[in-house]
Amino acid sequence: LQPVELEIPAQFGDLPPITLNLPPGFSASVFAVASRPGRARMMAFSSQGVLHLAHATRILALPDRDADGVADEVIEVASGLMWTNSIAFYNGDLYAAETDKVIRYRDADGDLVYEEQEIFIDDLPWAEGAWHTSRAIAFDEINEKVYVAIGSPCDLCRSEKPFRAASLDRLEPDPEWDAVLEFNTDGTGRRIFATGMRN
């Protein structure tokens, strides 16, 4: 890796200089700046090529209509969420994996405002005070399955003896802790696909 100065477009001129360590031949530039601080998590492109960003308690759309490498605007498409970590698109709908559920959003008219929302998967295991509250979601379009990763509630515990990370209070064991859950793409068919996942 070698130090490379981050390219900062003129509209972001108030950002301080930043140096990144990148492989030879790589460069990086600022694409968008959120209007308020938060915790940027995972990203996904819609079928229209619009980049979306999970931002902990909200989801942002970052369209680059003129393809100049800078988002034209930052659109808050969903808010009031609980630690949304991972998002994915399937059949034109946006899916957000929150700590305790997966929400499906629909943008019927394609204006990047998601008019419809519904809970797609409910009752994902979680506990107040657990360390790993982030969930990851992925679609297998060929086999029409969706996978949701559930972290362990603690770093150094066995799944049969879980505890709250902050207090060490014992939690009821749940076979879905530290597992990857599999569902059909309509939300049915819940089963444990894999176990032993710390986070």
Side-chain angles (χ1 to χ4, degrees), residues 17-159:
I18 299 172
T19 300
L20 303 173
N21 292 319
L22 300 175
F26 279 72
S27 64
S29 64
V30 176
F31 180 71
V33 175
S35 58
R36 58 186 163 93
R39 293 183 62 185
R41 305 301 289 177
M42 296 184 182
M43 300 177 281
F45 282 99
S46 69
S47 58
Q48 294 78 31
V50 176
L51 182 65
H52 287 66
L53 170 67
H55 206 249
T57 59
R58 60 193 180 139
I59 300 171
L60 306 176
L62 308 168
D64 180 13
R65 298 177 187 93
D66 57 6
D68 66 350
V70 177
D72 303 318
E73 58 183 321
V74 176
I75 302 168
E76 187 173 272
V77 300
S79 62
L81 303 174
M82 186 170 127
W83 294 111
T84 298
N85 172 67
S86 178
I87 54 177
F89 285 91
Y90 180 73
N91 286 344
D93 295 336
L94 170 63
Y95 292 78
E98 289 196 85
T99 296
D100 61 343
K101 62 185 162 291
V102 175
I103 302 173
R104 174 172 41 210
Y105 294 93
R106 288 197 172 106
D107 176 16
D109 55 10
D111 64 352
L112 297 178
V113 175
Y114 292 75
E115 299 86 4
E116 301 173 34
Q117 73 176 50
E118 63 181 332
I119 295 179
F120 175 65
I121 297 170
D122 204 358
D123 299 326
L124 296 179
W126 77 284
E128 196 73 42
W131 277 0
H132 301 145
T133 57
S134 59
R135 307 291 179 245
I137 184 172
F139 281 86
D140 175 353
E141 296 187 17
I142 294 172
N143 296 303
E144 297 186 341
K145 300 290 184 184
V146 58
Y147 298 91
V148 180
I150 308 295
S152 169
C154 43
D155 276 338
L156 301 172
C157 67
R158 298 186 181 279
S159 58

Side-chain angles (χ1 to χ4, degrees), residues 125 147-148 150 174-183 189-197:
Y147 298 91
V148 180
I150 308 295
D174 186 324
E176 292 184 342
W177 282 116
D178 66 16
V180 175
L181 304 182
E182 179 189 77
F183 301 84
R190 181 177 186 146
R191 76 177 187 100
I192 294 174
F193 177 77
T195 60
M197 312 294 154

Side-chain angles (χ1 to χ4, degrees), residues 160-193:
E160 65 272 13
K161 293 183 178 180
F163 57 83
R164 296 178 201 278
S167 66
L168 302 182
D169 293 338
R170 291 285 176 199
L171 293 168
E172 284 296 316
D174 186 324
E176 292 184 342
W177 282 116
D178 66 16
V180 175
L181 304 182
E182 179 189 77
F183 301 84
N184 299 320
T185 52
D186 63 359
T188 63
R190 181 177 186 146
R191 76 177 187 100
I192 294 174
F193 177 77

